[in-house]
Every structure is written in C-alpha cells, then in structure tokens.
Amino acid sequence: MEFSRKRPNAGIRCPGHDYRSRCIYHIVLNKADSIPDFSAVKGIPGDRQWPPIVELSPYGKIIGKVLSSLKSSFPFISILRRCIMPDHVHFVIFIRKATEIHLGEIIREMKRRCSSSLEMMGHEPEIEFFIPGYHDTFLTGKDQLKKMLAYVSDNPRRHLLRKSKPGWIRKFIIENAEKNKKYEAYGNWDLLSEFQRVPVKVSRKYTPSELRGWKKLWYITILNDGVLVSPFINPAEKKVRDWAIDNGGSIIYLTYKPFPEKYKPQGKMFDLCAEGRLLIIFIPPDEKEAEHIREKGSPSYSHCRKMNSIAKEIADLEYHPL
C-alpha cells in the first residue's frame, strides 16, 4: 500500500493560540472521495530538463481561482505560496493584522466557493469539495518562513520520490553538502524537510523560566506537526520524547549505536518507522569514544555533547537523503 502524506484534518486547534491574530499559517485541505483528482504530478526528481511539476485538472484550477479571489472578501490576507496536489492542497496564508475574523471563517468561505463552482459544473448541490475540517501549522520562530515556503514548493518532488521509494523501512545516507557531512540513517527521510525541526536538550544550566519556555516550544511543535530532534539522553529528555510519540508526534533520534548489516529497529521503533514518524541517525564515535562505549556500555559526556550539537545542526541546516 502506498504511504500517504495527507495531513489529518484537525478538529481541535492549538490551545492558547489566537486564531484572530496577525500570523502566518500553512494550511492543508484534503479532497473529498467523490471528487476527481485535483492534479497530476509529473517529472523526474533531480532532473533539470524534466523537473517535477503539477498539472492541474479542472478541479485543481477551481482551487487556484478561489485562492486568488479570497483577497476580495478578506483584504487583510495574502496567499504567499500554494501547491495543489492530486488529493490535497497546501497553501501559506498571511493574516497581516489582527481582526475579529477567525481563520476558520476564511477557510470555510474558501471551501464554500469551491463547492459552489461544482454546481456550475453540473454536480449535485450537496456535493462537498473537501472533507470536513482542515490542518493548520503556524510559525513559531523568525527563521521558519523560508523553510515553510520551501516545504510547500517541494511537495511535487517528494511526492514522486515516495512513489518510487515507498515506505520507510530502509537504510540510506543523509548529507549536508555545504558542511561536507554525511551520516547513516534509517526511517523517514521526509522528516528532514519539515520546516519546524526543534532540538530537545535539558540542561542543569537552565533557569526554571528558561526550562518552561523550552517545554512550551516542544509542546507547540508537536501540536503544530513539527519534529523534535535529539539523542534523548537524560530522563527528562526521554519524557519529552515519550510524550511526543504518545501524542502522535514525530522525532529524529540520534544514536551512538551503529546499524548492523541487516538492521531493523525493534518493537515500537519499527512501528514508528512504518508510520513515517521516526528517523534514526547514527553519529559515529571516534576511536577513543568507541573504546569508552565498549567498556561502559554508554557514551561519554563528550560524545553526548557532540550528539546534542549535531542535533541542533540537523534542526537548523538542510540535510538531504542520497
């Protein structure tokens, strides 16, 4: 069965967030089963002559026209990016000032206009264009907009990659060409493309206020469909990891243990890989560190620091599968 990357349509918005405030959102709407595909994705990933493109069907063209027309009713919004995939649509919307209008009202009007266009195409009036609800994520950091826009634009390429390489039960190499760094990895390489990748590290140097701030960010990241990145070494970090997993979150887990030739994670870790919610990255120790691990059965303080440093790097920089 082909792995689906459609987002669940969340019925509950992020607690504590004001959906009438000035904010930038990434929205995903999923196609109703009765509606033909919005588009077809064609091309070859990585090929300059035939790059991945989206060819819109008549239904996809309706979505494009409706998104362009929304500003006439909501002059305080801007659509910064859009990508209309075969069975779902992504768009980035900028609410440029605080208003009395909830984000949900704007989405509802967008859906209404699409469904009204169906009637003009001869469909029954009660036919819905999208399934109920919508999925939203919003910016929580000043450096995330570029990543959010790139994520939306990159959907056609990732779609074709997933079709050619379905599933996440395999080993591969990830690379940052700029830093000339490569690591062996296992699981869902797509997590490297999520625009909200936040490192998890609990330090004794944190003040109570700083720790509360980090915990709030980790909480919002998971609710916002982001990814937590860490070796999850100490008990407090493991609690964050377990909470994220139990609440449907995704993690990038750094390990000091190499992958055997026919490696497969065991138990829950295997299930998380199969669900596309886990990427495991092996951070090789040097000779001295490897000796320490053989003697003690655990990494040294210096190697833990190294893994935490690389976790932050993976959260901040662009790594890609080879």
Side-chain angles (χ1 to χ4, degrees), residues 165-174 183-189 255 257-265 270 273 278-282 321-322:
K165 302 176 182 178
W168 310 118
I169 312 300
R170 60 185 292 266
K171 288 190 291 185
F172 51 94
I173 301 296
I174 63 171
Y183 300 108
E184 193 172 15
Y186 189 104
N188 182 1
W189 63 83
T255 179
K257 298 179 180 179
F259 302 133
E261 183 180 350
K262 295 184 178 181
Y263 171 76
K264 281 188 179 179
F270 180 88
C273 282
L278 174 65
L279 175 64
I280 307 170
I281 300 175
F282 169 51
L322 295 181

Side-chain angles (χ1 to χ4, degrees), residues 18-224:
D18 183 1
Y19 282 87
R20 296 175 175 83
S21 64
R22 184 177 188 268
C23 194
I24 296 177
Y25 299 91
H26 168 219
I27 304 296
V28 182
L29 301 175
N30 292 323
K31 181 180 75 67
D33 290 340
S34 58
I35 302 299
D37 283 355
F38 297 154
S39 66
V41 183
K42 299 180 179 180
I44 302 172
D47 191 299
R48 293 185 178 182
Q49 186 175 1
W50 304 103
I53 60 169
V54 171
E55 292 186 356
L56 298 181
S57 72
Y59 299 88
K61 290 177 181 178
I62 288 174
I63 298 171
K65 289 179 181 178
V66 168
L67 285 173
S68 297
S69 73
L70 279 178
K71 197 173 180 66
S72 62
S73 299
F74 307 102
F76 51 87
I77 72 168
S78 296
I79 305 298
L80 304 183
R81 192 68 50 92
R82 68 185 73 179
C83 186
I84 301 170
M85 299 297 288
D87 59 357
H88 62 287
V89 56
H90 299 257
F91 62 93
V92 176
I93 182 171
F94 181 18
I95 311 298
R96 292 185 282 105
K97 67 176 184 178
T99 73
E100 295 299 315
I101 299 175
H102 191 283
L103 172 68
E105 297 177 57
I106 300 172
I107 304 301
R108 189 157 50 246
E109 174 62 14
M110 182 260 184
K111 288 185 169 186
R112 186 195 67 78
R113 293 186 187 185
C114 287
S115 294
S116 295
S117 296
L118 286 178
E119 293 185 48
M120 298 176 64
M121 295 175 69
H123 289 272
E124 295 296 325
E126 66 273 10
I127 295 295
E128 294 292 337
F129 209 95
F130 301 97
I131 66 174
Y134 63 94
H135 181 90
D136 73 90
T137 58
F138 54 87
L139 292 187
T140 58
K142 62 181 180 180
D143 300 323
Q144 290 179 346
L145 178 58
K146 182 179 178 181
K147 293 179 181 179
M148 179 184 278
L149 297 177
Y151 175 86
V152 172
S153 297
D154 198 37
N155 261 265
R157 183 188 68 85
R158 295 199 309 274
H159 173 85
L160 293 176
L161 278 177
R162 286 191 293 271
K163 287 185 68 176
S164 64
K165 302 176 182 178
W168 310 118
I169 312 300
R170 60 185 292 266
K171 288 190 291 185
F172 51 94
I173 301 296
I174 63 171
E175 176 188 46
N176 178 273
E178 182 180 344
K179 293 281 187 178
N180 194 28
K181 290 187 176 182
K182 296 181 181 181
Y183 300 108
E184 193 172 15
Y186 189 104
N188 182 1
W189 63 83
D190 246 6
L191 298 183
L192 295 167
S193 302
E194 294 289 349
F195 55 85
Q196 287 185 303
R197 304 189 302 274
V198 177
V200 175
K201 181 179 181 297
V202 176
S203 172
R204 287 176 292 181
K205 296 181 180 179
Y206 290 162
T207 65
S209 177
E210 287 174 331
L211 184 57
R212 284 194 299 271
W214 276 109
K215 286 183 176 179
K216 182 179 180 181
L217 177 59
W218 299 329
Y219 172 74
I220 291 175
T221 297
I222 292 303
L223 291 181
N224 221 2

Side-chain angles (χ1 to χ4, degrees), residues 200 218-219 221-223 226-229 232 237-252 268 272 277:
V200 175
W218 299 329
Y219 172 74
T221 297
I222 292 303
L223 291 181
V227 181
L228 300 182
V229 188
F232 300 104
E237 293 164 357
K238 290 175 181 176
K239 284 183 179 180
V240 174
R241 175 200 64 192
D242 294 343
W243 178 87
I245 291 171
D246 291 344
N247 285 272
S250 300
I251 63 171
I252 297 177
K268 193 170 186 177
L272 289 172
R277 295 169 55 201

